């Protein structure tokens, strides 16, 4: 069973994220008031993303990753010991981060992200290795 089919592109959240004043302020700070306001208005009006130039996408992505809150932690066990598998959240967006692994996301719910994390990192979760299951 592959739970990656629950992932959705980050841009599917932009219509909600752009309503966040902190994100609006980040766009204005990074791009200047005039360009920032123009992009904010375009996103609020639902203008296709392809028509919006600049690094606004990266500004939004970086901002939510920097300001995210950890909403769930699962402990994995690897060759270097225990490591956290974190489900992070900003607004309506959830994603997974674990040391030494690429981020996985994005998800519409915490439950979808946790399910995917448990599936993806199954071999690292305590009690899930074959030696523990042998009699």
């Amino acid at each position: 069973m592959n739970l990656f089919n629950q992932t959705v592109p980050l841009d599917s959240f932009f219509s909600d994220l752009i309503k966040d004043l902190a994100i609006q302020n980040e766009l204005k700070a990074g791009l200047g008031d005039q360009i920032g306001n123009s992009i904010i208005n375009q996103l609020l009006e639902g203008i296709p993303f392809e028509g919006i130039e600049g690094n606004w996408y990266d500004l939004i992505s970086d901002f939510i990753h920097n300001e995210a809150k950890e909403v769930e932690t699962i402990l994995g066990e690897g060759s270097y010991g225990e490591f956290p598998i974190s489900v992070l959240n900003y607004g309506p967006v959830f994603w997974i981060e674990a040391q030494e692994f690429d981020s996985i996301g994005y998800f519409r719910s915490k439950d979808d992200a946790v399910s995917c994390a448990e599936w993806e990192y199954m071999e690292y979760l305590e009690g899930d290795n074959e030696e523990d299951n042998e009699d």
Side-chain angles (χ1 to χ4, degrees):
M1 179 173 162
N2 187 342
L3 297 175
F4 285 108
N5 62 358
Q6 296 174 343
T7 62
V8 294
L10 181 58
D11 59 14
S12 67
F13 296 98
F14 284 167
S15 60
D16 289 323
L17 289 172
I18 200 60
K19 295 172 188 172
D20 185 323
L21 293 178
I23 289 176
Q24 291 181 15
N25 289 334
E26 183 71 12
L27 287 173
K28 291 178 200 175
L31 302 171
D33 283 342
Q34 184 177 1
I35 295 172
N37 281 325
S38 174
I39 290 171
I40 291 165
N41 290 331
Q42 286 177 294
L43 290 174
L44 287 171
E45 292 172 15
I47 294 175
F49 306 124
E50 298 82 33
I52 305 174
E53 294 185 28
N55 64 343
W56 61 272
Y57 186 102
D58 292 335
L59 287 171
I60 293 173
S61 176
D62 290 346
F63 181 81
I64 69 166
H65 280 263
N66 292 335
E67 299 298 319
K69 293 183 175 142
E70 192 171 311
V71 294
E72 181 93 17
T73 301
I74 303 167
L75 292 177
E77 183 76 36
S79 59
Y80 295 107
E82 225 174 47
F83 67 95
I85 302 163
S86 302
V87 175
L88 301 166
N89 165 250
Y90 187 92
V93 186
F94 295 85
W95 65 95
I96 304 163
E97 290 185 0
Q99 290 176 268
E100 308 296 326
F101 294 92
D102 291 335
S103 294
I104 302 172
Y106 297 93
F107 302 89
R108 295 194 183 281
S109 75
K110 174 184 167 186
D111 289 342
D112 287 349
V114 169
S115 293
C116 185
E118 290 171 344
W119 179 83
E120 175 63 17
Y121 298 103
M122 185 182 318
E123 66 185 276
Y124 300 103
L125 300 180
E126 293 179 350
D128 282 347
N129 66 39
E130 291 178 20
E131 291 174 13
D132 288 346
N133 296 326
E134 293 178 6
D135 289 81

